[in-house]
């Protein structure tokens, strides 16, 4: 298993009618590597991420993530992955702490100390209602939720979008 790539795609295709979101992607990312997608809007970056996490299904091809088939073993896979969507949207009525504790409980429990540690590193006030947070602070909340359960693999879609320079540095 040590030689198994963290991510592997073979001929991955996603079509939307006559339009192609991804056209035959072959990709291999190994444990310990940092890999980034670069490209203009509409080039398939987010589509690829969503396929890897079984949020959408491919038209053709196959993928494995941490040696698992996302389409057959999605639940086991998502337990091992930290994911931050490019459009992290949550209910604004609750506080940051309430949201993170709820999400942590869905994962089987995340120690409050871990949540506090990450929030402190990012300078995030967890006592404020989400609707009162700036875009940058909502993004920090998303970063904390992706990291808080100590995942084996992080899949982050524009993780520094909206962050100030200090926040960008801390995420990196």
């Amino acid at each position: 298993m040590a030689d198994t790539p963290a991510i592997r795609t073979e001929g991955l295709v996603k079509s939307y009618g006559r339009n192609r979101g991804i056209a035959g992607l072959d990709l291999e990312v190994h444990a310990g590597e940092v890999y980034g997608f670069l490209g203009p809007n509409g080039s398939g970056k987010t589509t690829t991420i969503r396929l890897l996490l079984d949020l959408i299904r491919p038209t053709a091809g196959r993928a494995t993530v941490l040696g698992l088939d996302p389409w057959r073993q999605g639940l086991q896979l998502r337990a091992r992955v930290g994911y931050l969507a490019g459009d992290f949207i949550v209910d604004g009525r609750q506080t940051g702490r309430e949201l993170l504790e709820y999400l942590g409980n869905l994962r089987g429990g995340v120690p409050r100390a871990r949540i506090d540690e990450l929030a402190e590193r990012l300078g995030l006030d967890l006592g404020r209602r989400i609707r009162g947070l700036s875009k940058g602070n909502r993004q920090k909340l998303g970063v904390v939720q992706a990291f808080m359960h100590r995942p084996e693999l992080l899949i982050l879609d524009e993780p520094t979008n909206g962050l100030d320079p200090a926040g960008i540095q801390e995420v990196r």
Side-chain angles (χ1 to χ4, degrees):
M1 286 299 264
D3 293 338
T4 302
I7 298 172
R8 174 183 282 155
T9 68
E10 298 170 3
L12 200 59
V13 174
K14 179 61 180 176
S15 296
Y16 299 97
R18 290 197 282 179
N19 298 319
R20 281 239 165 129
I22 300 173
L25 177 65
D26 294 322
L27 173 68
E28 206 167 274
V29 180
H30 294 273
E33 287 185 325
V34 174
Y35 188 89
F37 290 123
L38 298 175
N41 290 342
S43 63
K45 302 177 300 288
T46 297
T47 298
T48 301
I49 289 170
R50 296 177 82 197
L51 287 166
L52 292 173
L53 294 170
D54 192 36
L55 300 175
I56 58 174
R57 296 286 170 98
T59 305
R62 60 184 233 97
T64 58
V65 180
L66 299 174
L68 301 172
D69 180 331
W71 306 291
R72 290 182 181 82
Q73 299 168 295
L75 188 59
Q76 300 97 304
L77 173 65
R78 286 186 293 275
R80 298 170 59 190
V81 173
Y83 171 57
L84 174 59
D87 56 351
F88 183 68
I89 300 170
V90 293
D91 181 1
R93 293 174 289 181
Q94 56 197 347
T95 66
R97 177 167 310 287
E98 289 168 342
L99 172 69
L100 293 173
E101 287 179 352
Y102 173 76
L103 295 174
N105 287 336
L106 289 177
R107 291 194 168 278
V110 173
R112 185 178 185 144
R114 173 69 176 160
I115 293 170
D116 290 343
E117 169 199 345
L118 291 168
E120 185 176 325
R121 285 184 69 177
L122 292 169
L124 177 62
D125 179 357
L126 295 176
R128 294 185 59 202
R129 298 230 175 264
I130 295 167
R131 72 173 154 242
L133 296 177
S134 66
K135 177 178 177 35
N137 280 320
R138 286 191 310 273
Q139 187 72 0
K140 289 176 184 180
L141 194 61
V143 169
V144 171
Q145 71 77 34
F147 282 75
M148 69 184 185
H149 67 290
R150 299 185 190 276
E152 295 172 53
L153 176 67
L154 287 165
I155 298 181
L156 309 173
D157 191 354
E158 300 189 36
T160 60
N161 191 23
L163 296 182
D164 60 20
I168 291 170
Q169 184 63 32
E170 193 60 38
V171 168
R172 287 183 180 158

